[in-house]
Amino acid sequence: MDTENKTKTSIQVRLSCLVMGLGQIANRQIIKGVLYLLCLGLFLAYMFSFGINDLKGFFTLGTTEADPWLGIKGDDSIMMLLRGMIAVSAIVAIVIIYINNIKDIIHTEELKNKGKALPSFTKALKKFLDRKFYVVALAVPVTGVFIFNVIPIIFMILIAFTNYGGDVIPPSLVDWIGLGNFKKIFTLGNIKSTFFKILGWNLIWAFASTALNYFGGLFLALLLNKKCVKGKTFWRAFPILAYAVPGFITLLAFKFMFSYGGPVNYYITMAGGKAVGFLGIDAGIKARLIGLFVNAWISIPTSMLLATGILSNMNTELYEAAAIDGATKWKQFVKITLPFVIFSTTAVLITSFINNFNNFGVFYFLRGGLYMDGYFLASDTDLLINWLYNLSIDNNYYGIGAAVSLIIFVITSVLSLTVYVRSAAFRKEDTFR
């Protein structure tokens, strides 16, 4: 009997390994087996009608170039790349379902060998919904994230390895060039020079603006936390007004204020001076400092609110003990307040750094559209994200732009992960508990 059972088990598992659902049908789990067969049938129907050609197109990106004069339609390389991604996604999905099918039939056979009754489809479905409700609840949002976030990101990454852009845009055929775009960025004269200039400024900007915004907000929170300050509600509400105004409106307002015909230059000329090009092509460091100031104006209120909430949870007994030991106010701040605040806001601090590194709006609204000598389609205040926009959207260098975006991702992810792993929030989690 045992030999017969093992033989039956082996046959049914092999059936499901050969064709999805056959083992379930052999075990009289008809609905489940039919669903697995339906998935397989839909996949095969798609592959034989579109999928095989889409996969071929993914690797070739087209073989026939369009010629409107001769009436030749030709291949659309970008659509072939996208459809190829869908074909690969379909293959990954069917592999996951296939593995689930094998796990299911093995589990079913284990139940049979233990002499237990096989649950009906309705009962199995209710059990699944009860035990793995999170899977059902997250199915729709995860699918949405995959379609609207993951696929575009993968598409952008793949574009970085093609020659798409410049003169090579549909109806011209796009081709795979491997690391060609990265070689241009790191070796090609003007592009290389521009990349390293912008990267250096981008890092300075990210660290400086993050520190300024963070410590500016902490300073305001500490100041408003003092008992001697009157009208705390008003002073806390005042910075929030700057935050409540949409950022791009604030940026456009500051652009007007510092323009040649703006209020700042008006009072300078009224005082007998000459109008200053704060944001002009010859502004130099003035434009960078104004960018830092404006970004601080927008961002410090958020840091202040965050720090205020954290300071309200501080243990005042620590300060009393420190004062008894003779610690000065500065010593208390360095040894008690600052470590606690940084520990509590490490994740926010890293997020703020990444946001500042990729802060597109500040210099786009203050100085957007400026191209300077010594830069390839950029100015001295552009960040990598602004240069990426200039390359891809304004000048059709999509391949190089995609390569720049991939470099941005690598830089920000490596820096943020390194800082977090080395931070007290990661290494000394129990210190402030």
Side-chain angles (χ1 to χ4, degrees), residues 84-103:
M85 288 173 56
I86 295 172
V88 172
S89 301
I91 292 172
V92 171
I94 201 65
V95 168
I96 293 172
I97 296 172
Y98 176 79
I99 293 171
N100 181 267
N101 150 74
I102 295 175
K103 287 181 178 179

Side-chain angles (χ1 to χ4, degrees), residues 260-395:
Y260 277 103
V264 175
N265 270 317
Y266 171 78
Y267 288 110
I268 290 174
T269 52
M270 286 291 291
K274 292 183 179 180
V276 179
F278 291 104
L279 300 172
I281 198 166
D282 56 346
I285 196 172
K286 293 191 292 292
R288 294 182 174 185
L289 292 175
I290 289 171
L292 284 169
F293 165 73
V294 175
N295 189 51
W297 176 268
I298 296 171
S299 303
I300 280 179
T302 311
S303 301
M304 183 200 73
L305 291 175
L306 179 65
T308 300
I310 293 169
L311 291 172
S312 65
N313 293 319
M314 288 286 294
N315 187 354
T316 54
E317 293 178 359
L318 294 174
Y319 294 101
E320 293 172 2
I324 292 172
D325 289 339
T328 61
K329 293 292 185 182
W330 173 251
K331 204 72 174 178
Q332 293 176 27
F333 171 76
V334 173
K335 294 296 183 180
I336 300 175
T337 306
L338 190 59
F340 181 78
V341 173
I342 290 179
F343 174 85
S344 303
T345 59
T346 298
V348 176
L349 194 57
I350 292 171
T351 303
S352 176
F353 173 81
I354 294 172
N355 289 336
N356 283 314
F357 193 93
N358 292 318
N359 196 330
F360 174 80
V362 171
F363 292 108
Y364 176 79
F365 287 107
L366 288 178
R367 297 185 86 206
L370 280 181
Y371 296 158
M372 297 177 60
D373 292 337
Y375 287 83
F376 180 73
L377 304 177
S379 70
D380 58 350
T381 52
D382 280 338
L383 307 177
L384 286 174
I385 192 72
N386 300 109
W387 190 41
L388 162 62
Y389 181 87
N390 295 341
L391 288 169
S392 55
I393 304 302
D394 287 348
N395 296 280

Side-chain angles (χ1 to χ4, degrees), residues 103-116:
K103 287 181 178 179
D104 177 76
I105 193 63
I106 291 173
H107 176 68
T108 301
E109 292 304 313
E110 288 174 352
L111 292 177
K112 285 176 62 180
N113 291 336
K114 292 177 181 179
K116 296 182 179 179

Side-chain angles (χ1 to χ4, degrees), residues 209-223 296 299-301 303-304 307:
S209 56
T210 301
L212 180 62
N213 300 345
Y214 186 81
F215 288 105
L218 179 58
F219 172 76
L220 282 180
L222 288 169
L223 188 63
S299 303
I300 280 179
S303 301
M304 183 200 73

Side-chain angles (χ1 to χ4, degrees), residues 60-300:
T60 64
L61 296 183
T63 55
T64 305
E65 188 166 334
D67 192 334
W69 294 101
L70 299 176
I72 300 173
K73 186 177 179 180
D75 297 321
D76 188 335
S77 298
I78 300 304
M79 282 304 301
M80 293 178 82
L81 176 59
L82 186 58
R83 291 175 63 177
M85 288 173 56
I86 295 172
V88 172
S89 301
I91 292 172
V92 171
I94 201 65
V95 168
I96 293 172
I97 296 172
Y98 176 79
I99 293 171
N100 181 267
N101 150 74
I102 295 175
K103 287 181 178 179
D104 177 76
I105 193 63
I106 291 173
H107 176 68
T108 301
E109 292 304 313
E110 288 174 352
L111 292 177
K112 285 176 62 180
N113 291 336
K114 292 177 181 179
K116 296 182 179 179
L118 298 182
S120 65
F121 178 76
T122 305
K123 187 178 289 185
L125 182 61
K126 286 181 179 179
K127 186 177 180 181
F128 176 82
L129 292 176
D130 182 51
R131 288 188 175 182
K132 295 191 176 182
F133 176 75
Y134 65 92
V135 175
V136 180
L138 292 175
V140 173
V142 167
T143 302
V145 168
F146 179 77
I147 294 172
F148 297 106
N149 291 87
V150 176
I151 287 182
I153 289 172
I154 296 174
F155 180 76
M156 177 273 298
I157 292 172
L158 292 175
I159 288 293
F161 299 96
T162 69
N163 62 346
Y164 180 39
D167 297 328
V168 185
I169 54 175
S172 299
L173 291 178
V174 177
D175 200 5
W176 296 106
I177 59 171
L179 299 175
N181 289 315
F182 297 93
K183 290 178 182 177
K184 289 179 182 177
I185 293 172
F186 290 110
T187 62
L188 196 62
N190 207 13
I191 296 179
K192 173 187 174 182
S193 172
T194 301
F195 171 75
F196 283 107
K197 285 179 183 177
I198 294 178
L199 176 60
W201 159 237
N202 206 150
L203 290 170
I204 293 171
W205 157 266
F207 283 108
S209 56
T210 301
L212 180 62
N213 300 345
Y214 186 81
F215 288 105
L218 179 58
F219 172 76
L220 282 180
L222 288 169
L223 188 63
L224 297 176
N225 207 38
K226 288 186 172 296
K227 295 180 180 179
C228 60
V229 176
K230 305 297 182 182
K232 291 183 180 181
T233 303
F234 171 77
W235 292 115
R236 283 198 177 106
F238 183 73
I240 296 173
L241 294 176
Y243 179 68
V245 177
F248 78 94
I249 294 177
T250 303
L251 290 167
L252 291 175
F254 274 103
K255 181 179 182 179
F256 169 70
M257 285 177 60
F258 287 101
S259 65
Y260 277 103
V264 175
N265 270 317
Y266 171 78
Y267 288 110
I268 290 174
T269 52
M270 286 291 291
K274 292 183 179 180
V276 179
F278 291 104
L279 300 172
I281 198 166
D282 56 346
I285 196 172
K286 293 191 292 292
R288 294 182 174 185
L289 292 175
I290 289 171
L292 284 169
F293 165 73
V294 175
N295 189 51
W297 176 268
I298 296 171
S299 303
I300 280 179

Side-chain angles (χ1 to χ4, degrees), residues 13-29:
V13 172
R14 287 175 183 176
L15 283 173
S16 278
C17 289
L18 183 65
V19 178
M20 280 198 311
L22 284 186
Q24 284 82 358
I25 293 173
N27 281 325
R28 297 182 181 180
Q29 294 178 307

